[in-house]
């Protein structure tokens, strides 16, 4: 028989373990400083708080994944322990609460789970907490597996401006066209087409909508001209036209630019750390 879990009790388990400074404050003022003892409490209690909330809710809504949960908890403990004590700070309930709640429903999605975990780890690190935005939680919730994988690829590229080779069917008039596929460079130093990624248009549309990237259709990166031609020559044979279009169109390409926005860069720094 299913057991009902009282969310109020769960919240108490989370928020009362290392989340608040228990030192009484004069004149009802809130002290934002964290003493050494409080730092140790936060560091020791944060893992237990996540485990308490996460395990109970996961069991209720997702099912029992004992091995995966144990592995996750071990890795979480190691990451929290690696933060120097002097950099530990109290997490904000406005961040930790919603992030934990969302984490419950994404345990089986490795990339999404990792993003929520990264955010929570940054939230108790005073070197990074000021870069954690509540909006990041809502963005992660709107990502698919494919979206998350593409964002990780952007991080690995280590560039904020990437070339796009947009394969098109160009009309013989040289003006009208229809789009086919976009190839995005991730390492132009290699001068070949093997270092490209080709996400679905829906991925690019979603990340543009969320403010992570911008697609600049009428721009190009001049230094990447040779690379873009190499990519086109490498992939053009993968694309063909229907017989009824061959007389009017030909396979060609346009150069475009993908820019990771300032907001996107900060999101990647925190959620893909």
């Amino acid at each position: 028989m299913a057991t009902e879990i009282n969310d109020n009790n769960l919240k108490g388990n989370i928020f009362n373990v290392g989340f608040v400074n228990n030192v009484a404050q004069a004149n009802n003022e809130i002290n934002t400083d964290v003493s050494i003892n409080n730092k140790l409490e936060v560091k020791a209690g944060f893992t237990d708080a996540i485990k308490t909330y996460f395990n109970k809710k996961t069991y209720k809504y997702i099912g029992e994944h004992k091995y995966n949960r144990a592995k996750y908890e071990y890795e979480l403990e190691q990451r929290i322990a690696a933060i120097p004590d002097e950099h530990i700070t109290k997490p904000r309930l406005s961040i930790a609460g919603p992030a934990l709640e969302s984490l419950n429903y994404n345990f089986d999605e490795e990339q999404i789970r990792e993003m929520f975990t990264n955010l929570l780890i940054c939230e108790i690190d005073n070197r990074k907490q000021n870069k954690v935005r509540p909006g990041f939680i809502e963005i992660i919730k709107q990502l698919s597996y494919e979206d998350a994988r593409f964002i990780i690829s952007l991080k690995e590229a280590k560039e904020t401006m990437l070339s796009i080779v947009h394969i098109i069917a160009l009309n013989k008039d040289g003006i009208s066209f229809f789009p086919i596929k976009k190839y995005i460079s991730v390492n132009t130093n290699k001068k070949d087409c093997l270092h490209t990624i080709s996400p679905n248009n829906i991925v690019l549309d979603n990340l543009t909508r969320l403010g992570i990237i911008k697609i600049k259709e009428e721009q190009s990166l001049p230094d990447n001209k040779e690379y873009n031609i190499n990519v086109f020559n490498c992939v053009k044979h993968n694309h063909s036209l229907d017989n009824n279009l061959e007389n009017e169109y030909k396979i060609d390409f346009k150069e475009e630019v993908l820019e990771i926005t300032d907001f996107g860069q900060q999101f990647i720094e925190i959620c893909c750390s």
Side-chain angles (χ1 to χ4, degrees), residues 2 22 25 27 39 43 47 50 64 81 114 151 155-156 196 211 214 236 244 272:
N22 293 322
Q25 303 301 322
N27 300 322
K39 287 178 185 289
K43 196 168 186 177
T47 302
I50 293 177
E64 192 168 8
E114 185 68 12
I151 290 174
K155 178 197 174 186
E156 293 171 350
T196 62
K214 291 180 181 178
K236 65 181 179 181
N244 60 337
C272 300

PDB file of all heavy atoms in Angstrom, residues 2 22 25 27 39 43 47 50 64 81 114 151 155-156 196 211 214 236 244 272:
ATOM      1  N   ALA A   2       0.515   2.212  -0.823  1.00  0.00           N
ATOM      2  CA  ALA A   2       1.334   3.419  -0.913  1.00  0.00           C
ATOM      3  C   ALA A   2       1.282   4.191   0.391  1.00  0.00           C
ATOM      4  O   ALA A   2       0.251   4.259   1.057  1.00  0.00           O
ATOM      5  CB  ALA A   2       0.840   4.295  -2.063  1.00  0.00           C
ATOM      6  N   ASN A  22      21.777  29.199  13.461  1.00  0.00           N
ATOM      7  CA  ASN A  22      20.981  29.041  14.675  1.00  0.00           C
ATOM      8  C   ASN A  22      21.368  30.012  15.788  1.00  0.00           C
ATOM      9  O   ASN A  22      20.810  29.978  16.872  1.00  0.00           O
ATOM     10  CB  ASN A  22      21.124  27.601  15.200  1.00  0.00           C
ATOM     11  CG  ASN A  22      20.485  26.606  14.258  1.00  0.00           C
ATOM     12  OD1 ASN A  22      19.440  26.888  13.694  1.00  0.00           O
ATOM     13  ND2 ASN A  22      21.118  25.454  14.077  1.00  0.00           N
ATOM     14  N   GLN A  25      19.921  36.337  17.041  1.00  0.00           N
ATOM     15  CA  GLN A  25      20.330  37.650  16.573  1.00  0.00           C
ATOM     16  C   GLN A  25      19.651  38.738  17.401  1.00  0.00           C
ATOM     17  O   GLN A  25      18.444  38.688  17.650  1.00  0.00           O
ATOM     18  CB  GLN A  25      19.972  37.817  15.086  1.00  0.00           C
ATOM     19  CG  GLN A  25      20.576  36.749  14.191  1.00  0.00           C
ATOM     20  CD  GLN A  25      22.082  36.744  14.279  1.00  0.00           C
ATOM     21  OE1 GLN A  25      22.695  37.805  14.374  1.00  0.00           O
ATOM     22  NE2 GLN A  25      22.666  35.563  14.290  1.00  0.00           N
ATOM     23  N   ASN A  27      17.993  42.280  18.271  1.00  0.00           N
ATOM     24  CA  ASN A  27      17.109  43.207  17.583  1.00  0.00           C
ATOM     25  C   ASN A  27      16.436  42.589  16.355  1.00  0.00           C
ATOM     26  O   ASN A  27      16.067  43.284  15.407  1.00  0.00           O
ATOM     27  CB  ASN A  27      17.876  44.471  17.150  1.00  0.00           C
ATOM     28  CG  ASN A  27      18.486  45.199  18.335  1.00  0.00           C
ATOM     29  OD1 ASN A  27      17.872  45.281  19.410  1.00  0.00           O
ATOM     30  ND2 ASN A  27      19.694  45.703  18.154  1.00  0.00           N
ATOM     31  N   LYS A  39      29.655  26.857   9.090  1.00  0.00           N
ATOM     32  CA  LYS A  39      30.183  26.343   7.824  1.00  0.00           C
ATOM     33  C   LYS A  39      30.275  24.821   7.862  1.00  0.00           C
ATOM     34  O   LYS A  39      29.913  24.127   6.915  1.00  0.00           O
ATOM     35  CB  LYS A  39      31.568  26.953   7.548  1.00  0.00           C
ATOM     36  CG  LYS A  39      31.557  28.415   7.142  1.00  0.00           C
ATOM     37  CD  LYS A  39      32.987  28.921   6.955  1.00  0.00           C
ATOM     38  CE  LYS A  39      33.030  30.417   6.678  1.00  0.00           C
ATOM     39  NZ  LYS A  39      32.520  30.739   5.341  1.00  0.00           N
ATOM     40  N   LYS A  43      28.204  22.158   5.582  1.00  0.00           N
ATOM     41  CA  LYS A  43      28.911  21.178   4.758  1.00  0.00           C
ATOM     42  C   LYS A  43      28.488  19.757   5.124  1.00  0.00           C
ATOM     43  O   LYS A  43      28.268  18.910   4.252  1.00  0.00           O
ATOM     44  CB  LYS A  43      30.415  21.350   4.934  1.00  0.00           C
ATOM     45  CG  LYS A  43      31.251  20.676   3.861  1.00  0.00           C
ATOM     46  CD  LYS A  43      32.685  21.127   3.950  1.00  0.00           C
ATOM     47  CE  LYS A  43      33.505  20.580   2.808  1.00  0.00           C
ATOM     48  NZ  LYS A  43      34.900  21.058   2.831  1.00  0.00           N
ATOM     49  N   THR A  47      24.558  17.383   2.407  1.00  0.00           N
ATOM     50  CA  THR A  47      24.415  16.074   1.765  1.00  0.00           C
ATOM     51  C   THR A  47      23.252  15.309   2.374  1.00  0.00           C
ATOM     52  O   THR A  47      22.421  14.737   1.660  1.00  0.00           O
ATOM     53  CB  THR A  47      25.709  15.246   1.919  1.00  0.00           C
ATOM     54  OG1 THR A  47      26.798  15.977   1.356  1.00  0.00           O
ATOM     55  CG2 THR A  47      25.575  13.911   1.203  1.00  0.00           C
ATOM     56  N   ILE A  50      19.887  16.709   1.246  1.00  0.00           N
ATOM     57  CA  ILE A  50      19.525  16.298  -0.108  1.00  0.00           C
ATOM     58  C   ILE A  50      19.083  14.833  -0.117  1.00  0.00           C
ATOM     59  O   ILE A  50      18.075  14.469  -0.709  1.00  0.00           O
ATOM     60  CB  ILE A  50      20.697  16.523  -1.075  1.00  0.00           C
ATOM     61  CG1 ILE A  50      20.977  18.025  -1.229  1.00  0.00           C
ATOM     62  CG2 ILE A  50      20.402  15.903  -2.438  1.00  0.00           C
ATOM     63  CD1 ILE A  50      22.166  18.346  -2.107  1.00  0.00           C
ATOM     64  N   GLU A  64      12.279   2.604  -6.975  1.00  0.00           N
ATOM     65  CA  GLU A  64      13.505   2.335  -6.232  1.00  0.00           C
ATOM     66  C   GLU A  64      14.668   2.071  -7.182  1.00  0.00           C
ATOM     67  O   GLU A  64      14.635   1.150  -7.981  1.00  0.00           O
ATOM     68  CB  GLU A  64      13.301   1.136  -5.303  1.00  0.00           C
ATOM     69  CG  GLU A  64      14.438   0.978  -4.294  1.00  0.00           C
ATOM     70  CD  GLU A  64      14.082  -0.012  -3.210  1.00  0.00           C
ATOM     71  OE1 GLU A  64      13.029  -0.666  -3.346  1.00  0.00           O
ATOM     72  OE2 GLU A  64      14.839  -0.128  -2.243  1.00  0.00           O
ATOM     73  N   ALA A  81      32.573  17.597  -0.067  1.00  0.00           N
ATOM     74  CA  ALA A  81      33.778  17.539   0.771  1.00  0.00           C
ATOM     75  C   ALA A  81      34.940  18.274   0.131  1.00  0.00           C
ATOM     76  O   ALA A  81      35.830  18.784   0.824  1.00  0.00           O
ATOM     77  CB  ALA A  81      34.163  16.082   1.027  1.00  0.00           C
ATOM     78  N   GLU A 114      22.617  16.131 -13.552  1.00  0.00           N
ATOM     79  CA  GLU A 114      23.922  16.728 -13.290  1.00  0.00           C
ATOM     80  C   GLU A 114      23.836  18.248 -13.242  1.00  0.00           C
ATOM     81  O   GLU A 114      24.510  18.890 -12.432  1.00  0.00           O
ATOM     82  CB  GLU A 114      24.914  16.287 -14.378  1.00  0.00           C
ATOM     83  CG  GLU A 114      26.345  16.737 -14.159  1.00  0.00           C
ATOM     84  CD  GLU A 114      27.012  16.065 -12.964  1.00  0.00           C
ATOM     85  OE1 GLU A 114      26.450  15.080 -12.442  1.00  0.00           O
ATOM     86  OE2 GLU A 114      28.084  16.530 -12.554  1.00  0.00           O
ATOM     87  N   ILE A 151      24.249  21.731 -25.033  1.00  0.00           N
ATOM     88  CA  ILE A 151      24.848  22.729 -24.153  1.00  0.00           C
ATOM     89  C   ILE A 151      26.206  22.255 -23.649  1.00  0.00           C
ATOM     90  O   ILE A 151      27.167  23.038 -23.581  1.00  0.00           O
ATOM     91  CB  ILE A 151      23.904  23.041 -22.972  1.00  0.00           C
ATOM     92  CG1 ILE A 151      22.678  23.804 -23.467  1.00  0.00           C
ATOM     93  CG2 ILE A 151      24.619  23.859 -21.892  1.00  0.00           C
ATOM     94  CD1 ILE A 151      21.629  24.038 -22.406  1.00  0.00           C
ATOM     95  N   LYS A 155      29.982  23.996 -24.104  1.00  0.00           N
ATOM     96  CA  LYS A 155      30.991  24.196 -23.066  1.00  0.00           C
ATOM     97  C   LYS A 155      32.335  23.625 -23.504  1.00  0.00           C
ATOM     98  O   LYS A 155      33.387  24.267 -23.336  1.00  0.00           O
ATOM     99  CB  LYS A 155      30.554  23.528 -21.770  1.00  0.00           C
ATOM    100  CG  LYS A 155      31.590  23.659 -20.658  1.00  0.00           C
ATOM    101  CD  LYS A 155      31.352  22.680 -19.536  1.00  0.00           C
ATOM    102  CE  LYS A 155      32.505  22.756 -18.538  1.00  0.00           C
ATOM    103  NZ  LYS A 155      32.398  21.727 -17.493  1.00  0.00           N
ATOM    104  N   GLU A 156      32.310  22.438 -24.074  1.00  0.00           N
ATOM    105  CA  GLU A 156      33.544  21.780 -24.482  1.00  0.00           C
ATOM    106  C   GLU A 156      34.243  22.517 -25.622  1.00  0.00           C
ATOM    107  O   GLU A 156      35.458  22.402 -25.787  1.00  0.00           O
ATOM    108  CB  GLU A 156      33.235  20.336 -24.885  1.00  0.00           C
ATOM    109  CG  GLU A 156      32.785  19.474 -23.701  1.00  0.00           C
ATOM    110  CD  GLU A 156      32.262  18.111 -24.116  1.00  0.00           C
ATOM    111  OE1 GLU A 156      32.062  17.904 -25.335  1.00  0.00           O
ATOM    112  OE2 GLU A 156      32.053  17.259 -23.228  1.00  0.00           O
ATOM    113  N   THR A 196      32.348  18.881 -35.918  1.00  0.00           N
ATOM    114  CA  THR A 196      31.117  19.648 -35.995  1.00  0.00           C
ATOM    115  C   THR A 196      30.025  18.901 -35.244  1.00  0.00           C
ATOM    116  O   THR A 196      30.107  17.690 -35.027  1.00  0.00           O
ATOM    117  CB  THR A 196      30.657  19.857 -37.447  1.00  0.00           C
ATOM    118  OG1 THR A 196      30.380  18.588 -38.047  1.00  0.00           O
ATOM    119  CG2 THR A 196      31.708  20.604 -38.257  1.00  0.00           C
ATOM    120  N   GLY A 211      17.225  32.107 -24.238  1.00  0.00           N
ATOM    121  CA  GLY A 211      18.249  33.128 -24.069  1.00  0.00           C
ATOM    122  C   GLY A 211      19.654  32.581 -23.880  1.00  0.00           C
ATOM    123  O   GLY A 211      20.552  33.335 -23.497  1.00  0.00           O
ATOM    124  N   LYS A 214      22.255  32.894 -29.481  1.00  0.00           N
ATOM    125  CA  LYS A 214      21.683  33.687 -30.563  1.00  0.00           C
ATOM    126  C   LYS A 214      22.226  33.130 -31.881  1.00  0.00           C
ATOM    127  O   LYS A 214      23.407  32.788 -31.966  1.00  0.00           O
ATOM    128  CB  LYS A 214      22.079  35.163 -30.454  1.00  0.00           C
ATOM    129  CG  LYS A 214      21.468  35.915 -29.290  1.00  0.00           C
ATOM    130  CD  LYS A 214      21.950  37.363 -29.309  1.00  0.00           C
ATOM    131  CE  LYS A 214      21.390  38.159 -28.133  1.00  0.00           C
ATOM    132  NZ  LYS A 214      21.917  39.562 -28.133  1.00  0.00           N
ATOM    133  N   LYS A 236      28.362  17.811 -48.166  1.00  0.00           N
ATOM    134  CA  LYS A 236      27.361  18.085 -49.206  1.00  0.00           C
ATOM    135  C   LYS A 236      26.853  16.807 -49.871  1.00  0.00           C
ATOM    136  O   LYS A 236      25.706  16.733 -50.328  1.00  0.00           O
ATOM    137  CB  LYS A 236      27.900  19.052 -50.243  1.00  0.00           C
ATOM    138  CG  LYS A 236      29.070  18.533 -51.061  1.00  0.00           C
ATOM    139  CD  LYS A 236      29.547  19.602 -52.046  1.00  0.00           C
ATOM    140  CE  LYS A 236      30.740  19.097 -52.861  1.00  0.00           C
ATOM    141  NZ  LYS A 236      31.212  20.146 -53.807  1.00  0.00           N
ATOM    142  N   ASN A 244      12.347  16.230 -58.814  1.00  0.00           N
ATOM    143  CA  ASN A 244      11.566  17.359 -59.314  1.00  0.00           C
ATOM    144  C   ASN A 244      12.140  18.707 -58.896  1.00  0.00           C
ATOM    145  O   ASN A 244      11.654  19.753 -59.320  1.00  0.00           O
ATOM    146  CB  ASN A 244      10.112  17.254 -58.848  1.00  0.00           C
ATOM    147  CG  ASN A 244       9.996  17.255 -57.329  1.00  0.00           C
ATOM    148  OD1 ASN A 244      10.955  16.922 -56.636  1.00  0.00           O
ATOM    149  ND2 ASN A 244       8.817  17.602 -56.817  1.00  0.00           N
ATOM    150  N   CYS A 272      27.019  23.583 -15.736  1.00  0.00           N
ATOM    151  CA  CYS A 272      27.840  22.562 -16.416  1.00  0.00           C
ATOM    152  C   CYS A 272      29.245  22.541 -15.832  1.00  0.00           C
ATOM    153  O   CYS A 272      30.195  22.153 -16.504  1.00  0.00           O
ATOM    154  CB  CYS A 272      27.904  22.846 -17.919  1.00  0.00           C
ATOM    155  SG  CYS A 272      26.312  22.849 -18.747  1.00  0.00           S
TER     156      CYS A 272
END
